[in-house]
Amino acid sequence: MKPSFFCLLFLLPFLTKSQNLPQCDSLVITCCAFDSLGLNTISIYVANPSSELFAYPGFVLLDNNLDTIAKETVNYFGIGTWPQAHTMTIVAPLTLPFTGYLELHTLFYQEFACSFPFTIADTTTTINEITADKTIVVFPNPFVDELHIALAQYSVSSEVRLSIVDVMDREVYTANKKQLPATLSLNGMKPGIYFLRITNTNNQPIQIQKVVVGE
């Protein structure tokens, strides 16, 4: 089965085929979310229904000359079944429309796992109630007891689901909020790195963001 791609902020009308592990064909990759501060990063959302862990994964975006355009700093232990945000820092000019390759490496880039032909069309769409210019702000980060979630200069009146998972993709907190901004009381969480998942009532991802629990 070929990987499934669905457009979040930019339409991806392309066909893709992995070139290495058979489990690569099971990956579901959703593209793309750019940051709102000058296109310094590009995020993809990746789900893995296969049994392959893809330990310590890192994604790299390459152009047709195989030059690196964007690269991810490894944050995850593996790729879980729920869509995870993989944010790549843009290190070379990225001009839309874009055609190139998306590579997945494992074990902190020690091993090559997958390669997909990758195209980003110059077509803008929206994602649920939150669009590219409605940036979610999480503060303080790192935090100890309370985490505040808001939209820069906006509010959302529809219900959202807020989940926090650890680096092993285990959910440690979940709550439904009827609107943003919202405050989460998280007293007692162990210090470390976590990920905040924000979804709508249809369980569609709105944003995933790394958060840190301080000591």
Side-chain angles (χ1 to χ4, degrees):
M1 181 181 71
K2 292 180 179 178
S4 301
F5 289 82
F6 303 93
C7 176
L8 286 185
L9 297 182
F10 290 87
L11 188 63
L12 285 179
F14 67 92
L15 227 39
T16 197
K17 182 176 177 62
S18 67
Q19 297 177 348
N20 198 353
L21 294 175
Q23 293 88 344
C24 294
D25 289 332
S26 298
L27 293 178
V28 180
I29 302 176
T30 307
C31 179
C32 294
F34 292 97
D35 67 25
S36 62
L37 302 177
L39 301 184
N40 295 317
T41 64
I42 176 173
S43 297
I44 57 175
Y45 295 83
V46 185
N48 173 30
S50 78
S51 59
E52 180 72 24
L53 178 62
F54 296 105
Y56 301 103
F59 283 91
V60 182
L61 187 65
L62 307 173
D63 64 15
N64 282 324
N65 295 321
L66 300 183
D67 293 326
T68 299
I69 301 300
K71 185 174 181 179
E72 177 186 14
T73 299
V74 175
N75 284 312
Y76 292 101
F77 173 76
I79 302 179
T81 57
W82 204 96
Q84 298 170 337
H86 291 262
T87 299
M88 295 174 282
T89 300
I90 297 174
V91 297
L94 173 58
T95 303
L96 301 181
F98 171 86
T99 300
Y101 300 90
L102 181 69
E103 288 189 351
L104 169 59
H105 298 255
T106 57
L107 299 177
F108 295 100
Y109 290 100
Q110 293 185 36
E111 294 188 5
F112 169 81
C114 313
S115 180
F116 308 100
F118 202 79
T119 300
I120 307 173
D122 191 12
T123 305
T124 304
T125 62
T126 59
I127 170 175
N128 307 318
E129 299 88 357
I130 299 177
T131 56
D133 62 344
K134 297 184 179 180
T135 304
I136 289 180
V137 178
V138 177
F139 62 96
N141 195 11
F143 71 96
V144 178
D145 297 323
E146 290 188 339
L147 186 65
H148 305 283
I149 303 162
L151 283 170
Q153 302 178 357
Y154 292 90
S155 64
V156 170
S157 57
S158 57
E159 185 172 338
V160 294
R161 185 172 186 264
L162 306 174
S163 303
I164 294 180
V165 299
D166 62 17
V167 293
M168 300 288 291
D169 203 39
R170 295 173 298 203
E171 190 173 89
V172 297
Y173 175 89
T174 183
N176 290 335
K177 297 292 183 180
K178 295 193 179 205
Q179 62 182 17
L180 293 180
T183 298
L184 305 183
S185 296
L186 300 168
N187 188 26
M189 286 187 65
K190 294 181 179 178
I193 296 174
Y194 296 84
F195 294 90
L196 170 68
R197 296 172 174 166
I198 305 175
T199 64
N200 64 12
T201 53
N202 294 322
N203 206 33
Q204 296 172 321
I206 293 175
Q207 186 164 324
I208 305 176
Q209 192 161 332
K210 181 168 71 175
V211 294
V212 177
V213 178
E215 306 218 359

